[in-house]
Amino acid sequence: GRLEAVTQQMGYHPQYLDSFLKTQHYLMHMDGPLPFDCRHYIAIMAAARHQCRYLVNLHVLQFLRAGGDPEWLRGLEFIPPKLRNLNEINKILAHRPWLITKEHIEKLLKISEWSWSLAELVHAVVLLAHCHALASFVFGCGCEQDEGLGGRVSLSLGNQCFCEATAGNSCSQELLRINRKRSLDSCMELDSLRERMQRIHVETEGREEMRLLQQDREEGEGQRAEVAAEHHSDLSTGLSLLADPDGEVTGATNLACYMQDPDFGYQDFARRDEDQTQVFRVQDYSWEDHGFSLVNRLYSDIGHLLDEKFRMVDGLQSSAMAKRQGCEPSVFKRGIWNYIHCMFGIRYDDYDYAEVNQLLERMLKVYIKTVTCYPEKTNSEMFDRFWKQFKHSEKVHVNLLILEARMQAELLYALQAITQYMI
């Protein structure tokens, strides 16, 4: 047998893995406002937004084990209206979280036969954000491909969910050592890399390189955010290389029954046509000062677990990764984190966004944006083909940053809307 794929990848950073598993186990299997079968069905709805068969199939198994009604698995038309009403906020959180308003919250909480309580809604929101972000990790690390052509998740540890499989047990260090010997760990020599990075960071050469690769540039230029202004067309180019030839994801139609409005997807925050949505300033509403206390009050202890996970990924060692970029580890990680938040309209007044363009080379930005905003457009070559200068463990580290930054972004928007409703 082998470790389940997500655990296997996260196992390159055992301290983070332990924190992740504790959080996931608490969300899915410990006391909380939502029934156990509903938790797994919400996870199915969330994963389906990104056409992540891996997570959908995993939670279908768990849904049935929790005593869920098999009829619900026929699609949204067969579930209670209360759960179905969660579809709108699921859709918005997954793709354009800045559109969440207190009206969406009010609609779910209004007094009726199918109304949600505040505690239930907070539990559901955390589940949605958790599964959206985990879908990014699954695609970003190639776990979706491990599922195989049969469309089933390989669970070598019986029929356990991966958060149960290692609960209370440390991951096998021998298995982790074997995984670390993969050919993926090979990387370019440092001197050669430095020369390459210098060439990539030359503006004119970078543009010419991307022009040669480009096949389908997005129409129109529009307004760009400060960071996105220079790179949006490059990202579009990169996506044309990552998507399947027909622009669709194999097997995605199998998940159509779990979502409505499948064409609703990510849209660049900087290119929105209306000015109704303002930039989200962390100085006005932050996780540390606002989100943590709210979520912990309404869903006991989950705030502490989430906070530990956010801090854990920030504390992971990345000295080699940062040295290759010629900067301190904290500077490199903050550049990735703030770049991800910027794509969702979240800004830090004390940060110089020019650093993002200096720290992150173009193809790394293509990778980060794709895995963050439309992970379903990745393919099996993406993890290996791009930014080969990173070791496998370093690539996993970047994917963990994507997971946590994305999850925190979704939570900030949802919790701010809940706060506005409560006021």
Side-chain angles (χ1 to χ4, degrees), residues 286-324:
S286 68
W287 167 255
E288 294 80 6
D289 297 332
H290 306 90
F292 169 81
S293 59
L294 175 63
V295 75
N296 218 44
R297 187 169 79 247
L298 293 171
Y299 182 14
S300 179
D301 293 332
I302 192 61
H304 292 292
L305 290 168
L306 293 173
D307 194 61
E308 176 188 299
K309 197 155 58 81
F310 293 146
R311 293 177 186 276
M312 188 64 68
V313 77
D314 184 58
L316 292 178
Q317 295 300 314
S318 58
S319 55
M321 191 162 61
K323 282 180 181 178
R324 294 192 178 103

Side-chain angles (χ1 to χ4, degrees), residues 122-320:
V122 167
H123 192 170
V125 161
V126 175
L127 277 172
L128 291 173
H130 173 82
C131 293
H132 295 154
L134 187 54
S136 283
F137 183 87
V138 166
F139 280 106
C141 286
C143 301
E144 180 80 356
Q145 282 71 43
D146 287 352
E147 184 181 1
L149 298 177
R152 294 177 297 174
V153 179
S154 298
L155 293 176
S156 60
L157 301 172
N159 60 351
Q160 289 178 296
C161 176
F162 60 83
C163 61
E164 295 176 303
T166 57
N169 298 291
S170 299
C171 297
S172 167
Q173 292 302 310
E174 180 61 28
L175 281 173
L176 296 179
R177 278 196 295 272
I178 291 172
N179 291 329
R180 289 190 178 99
K181 293 180 181 178
R182 287 178 171 186
S183 60
L184 288 172
D185 270 349
S186 62
C187 61
M188 302 167 63
E189 291 186 2
L190 190 57
D191 290 340
S192 173
L193 171 66
R194 284 172 178 162
E195 293 176 4
R196 176 178 175 274
M197 295 301 289
Q198 288 174 358
R199 290 197 303 271
I200 283 183
H201 280 89
V202 175
E203 187 66 22
T204 55
E205 290 185 12
R207 285 180 178 158
E208 182 62 22
E209 179 186 9
M210 298 307 295
R211 262 198 297 271
L212 293 173
L213 292 173
Q214 182 177 13
Q215 299 190 10
D216 294 308
R217 183 187 294 272
E218 280 193 18
E219 295 182 0
E221 291 299 322
Q223 294 295 320
R224 302 294 194 268
E226 185 175 340
V227 174
E230 188 178 357
H231 297 282
H232 180 76
S233 60
D234 298 316
L235 292 166
S236 300
T237 300
L239 287 177
S240 69
L241 301 174
L242 306 176
D244 289 336
D246 58 2
E248 295 185 4
V249 182
T250 305
T253 53
N254 297 335
L255 308 184
C257 66
Y258 297 123
M259 58 179 172
Q260 298 170 354
D261 195 6
D263 295 330
F264 186 92
Y266 175 80
Q267 186 178 77
D268 277 350
F269 179 85
R271 299 185 62 204
R272 64 195 189 286
D273 295 328
E274 60 275 345
D275 295 327
Q276 296 177 359
T277 307
Q278 300 297 318
V279 169
F280 187 112
R281 299 199 177 277
V282 175
Q283 284 70 19
D284 298 330
Y285 195 96
S286 68
W287 167 255
E288 294 80 6
D289 297 332
H290 306 90
F292 169 81
S293 59
L294 175 63
V295 75
N296 218 44
R297 187 169 79 247
L298 293 171
Y299 182 14
S300 179
D301 293 332
I302 192 61
H304 292 292
L305 290 168
L306 293 173
D307 194 61
E308 176 188 299
K309 197 155 58 81
F310 293 146
R311 293 177 186 276
M312 188 64 68
V313 77
D314 184 58
L316 292 178
Q317 295 300 314
S318 58
S319 55

Side-chain angles (χ1 to χ4, degrees), residues 45 49 76 82-92 108 258-261:
M45 292 171 64
R49 284 309 314 181
L76 298 184
K82 179 176 179 176
L83 263 182
R84 190 162 57 245
N85 291 341
L86 201 63
N87 178 70
E88 183 71 10
I89 197 173
N90 175 35
K91 176 184 76 173
I92 296 174
L108 290 169
Y258 297 123
M259 58 179 172
Q260 298 170 354
D261 195 6

Side-chain angles (χ1 to χ4, degrees), residues 8 30 79 96 110 123 160 162 201 243 254 312 366 378 414:
Q8 185 178 356
M30 299 298 285
I79 64 176
R96 305 175 204 172
K110 67 182 180 181
H123 192 170
Q160 289 178 296
F162 60 83
H201 280 89
N254 297 335
M312 188 64 68
V366 169
T378 62

